Amino acid sequence: MRVLSIDMPGRKIGGYVLWEGESLRDSGHLQEANDLLLHPEQGEVEDYRVLGTLLDRAHPHWVILERPFLFLIAQLIGAAKFWCMGHRIPWWQIQASTAKKAVIGHGRASKPTVRAWALKHPLMQGRACSQHVADALLYLEAWKILSQR
């Protein structure tokens, strides 16, 4: 199972992790964990191209997305959901506070707390971890936890 978890860019930078495992209970491994860089100066079409290229290249079986809290990310989330629909790929959405509560135990955990958690996560050993990658990993782990309930 390949799962792509995306922290959508608010303006220029987001993050993603591409996880692969046999099942939700499997610790699996990360294929990729990187920032997602947009180029707003090149226009909106370029932003959709960058997102579409990531989705095409990842070949996910599931896509994890944050629930939009800003108008800025709602359009990109809609584009990702449209891509999923066209490729018959299920998606799952979660609010950041719900993910923090499920994984860290506190829905109002600070960004530094989430990043510190991600840096200690076994899947991130030896990898660079921006705040955006940490958020994408948080959404992935919340999906794994909450989907087993």
Side-chain angles (χ1 to χ4, degrees):
M1 161 186 325
R2 290 171 64 88
V3 180
L4 178 64
S5 179
I6 306 172
D7 175 50
M8 285 295 177
R11 296 225 186 265
K12 289 187 176 186
I13 304 173
Y16 69 92
V17 296
L18 180 60
W19 175 84
E20 190 163 347
E22 292 297 318
S23 71
L24 293 178
R25 296 185 194 285
D26 179 14
S27 61
H29 62 279
L30 289 184
Q31 293 283 332
E32 296 180 42
N34 291 304
D35 284 337
L36 178 60
L37 305 175
L38 299 184
H39 307 281
E41 68 281 356
Q42 294 178 16
E44 187 177 25
V45 170
E46 178 63 13
D47 293 347
Y48 293 119
R49 188 195 63 73
V50 168
L51 179 61
T53 299
L54 170 63
L55 289 159
D56 286 339
R57 187 174 48 74
H59 298 287
H61 299 122
W62 275 89
V63 174
I64 310 302
L65 303 164
E66 63 186 304
R67 284 212 188 276
F69 62 95
L70 293 172
F71 176 72
L72 291 170
I73 66 171
Q75 292 174 304
L76 287 171
I77 289 172
K81 289 165 75 172
F82 186 78
W83 183 94
C84 288
M85 183 194 66
H87 290 82
R88 299 181 187 271
I89 304 295
W91 70 84
W92 188 78
Q93 289 186 272
I94 190 166
Q95 291 177 318
S97 61
T98 305
K100 290 174 185 179
K101 185 173 183 179
V103 176
I104 296 173
H106 189 282
R108 297 181 68 104
S110 67
K111 287 189 176 292
T113 300
V114 171
R115 187 158 181 267
W117 164 82
L119 286 167
K120 293 177 188 171
H121 194 287
L123 292 174
M124 291 304 296
Q125 297 305 309
R127 293 181 181 265
C129 184
S130 70
Q131 183 63 54
H132 302 290
V133 168
D135 288 346
L137 182 62
L138 178 76
Y139 304 146
L140 171 70
E141 289 299 321
W143 174 73
K144 288 169 69 178
I145 291 167
L146 296 172
S147 293
Q148 292 183 57
R149 289 187 181 167

